[in-house]
Amino acid sequence: MEDKDGAQKLAQDASYITMYNSAMQFLEESKNINNGIIEANEQKITYAYISLLVGLILVFAAIALFIARSRTTLDAASIMMEESMLRNLTILDNNVDAIITIDSQGMIEAVNPVAERMFGYGIGELVGLNVAKLMPEKYQDHH
């Protein structure tokens, strides 16, 4: 009977060893799966950071392009405005008639040399003056 009990004990021990080996194999496979998941997640995070970085670079490039184009447009507008002012000054200074430009309140903004001679005032005296001061009294109230 001792042989029978010993054989049963060996069979039981073998069963425990098999269960232990199966558990260890399961843990090893679980560890490998977890490592794979961690590596995949690390790759996803890396790709997310790279995508974010590329997105930020594109945004900054778009802003730089917008600023460059705005500056170019502003420079072109500034050149056009200077050319227009020069053209207007040339017309104003070379006209044979007296020309006085005023704002909406009747304040003199510019005069040509003929107007200076006609009214007997220098340009510094006329600019900023109300145009009504150059008119006969009966017309002053209309301006």
Side-chain angles (χ1 to χ4, degrees):
M1 189 139 127
E2 246 180 69
D3 286 338
K4 198 175 185 184
D5 286 338
Q8 274 185 333
K9 195 161 178 116
L10 282 175
Q12 198 174 25
D13 286 347
S15 175
Y16 289 144
I17 289 171
T18 303
M19 284 175 33
Y20 172 79
N21 286 337
S22 293
M24 292 305 289
Q25 186 178 1
F26 175 77
L27 288 174
E28 188 65 30
E29 288 174 7
S30 296
K31 181 176 140 187
N32 290 338
I33 290 170
N34 285 337
N35 286 341
I37 291 171
I38 290 170
E39 287 175 13
N41 285 338
E42 287 173 351
Q43 283 181 341
K44 286 179 184 177
I45 291 170
T46 302
Y47 291 145
Y49 283 132
I50 290 171
S51 296
L52 178 63
L53 184 60
V54 168
L56 287 173
I57 289 170
L58 290 174
V59 166
F60 285 126
I63 290 170
L65 182 62
F66 174 75
I67 290 171
R69 284 187 178 172
S70 295
R71 186 171 288 160
T72 302
T73 303
L74 191 60
D75 289 345
S78 177
I79 290 169
M80 288 174 60
M81 189 168 74
E82 283 181 36
E83 289 173 352
S84 176
M85 286 176 58
L86 285 172
R87 189 171 33 259
N88 289 340
L89 284 174
T90 301
I91 292 169
L92 193 67
D93 287 344
N94 294 304
N95 204 301
V96 294
D97 296 322
I99 299 175
I100 299 173
T101 59
I102 60 172
D103 66 12
S104 60
Q105 271 72 51
M107 303 304 284
I108 297 174
E109 293 180 333
V111 296
N112 69 348
V114 176
E116 288 180 78
R117 285 191 300 274
M118 179 183 285
F119 292 104
Y121 294 103
I123 190 169
E125 297 171 283
L126 291 172
V127 173
L129 187 68
N130 193 296
V131 74
K133 300 288 183 191
L134 301 176
M135 299 180 174
E137 284 186 36
K138 65 180 182 176
Y139 298 113
Q140 285 182 0
D141 291 336
H142 299 291
H143 293 279

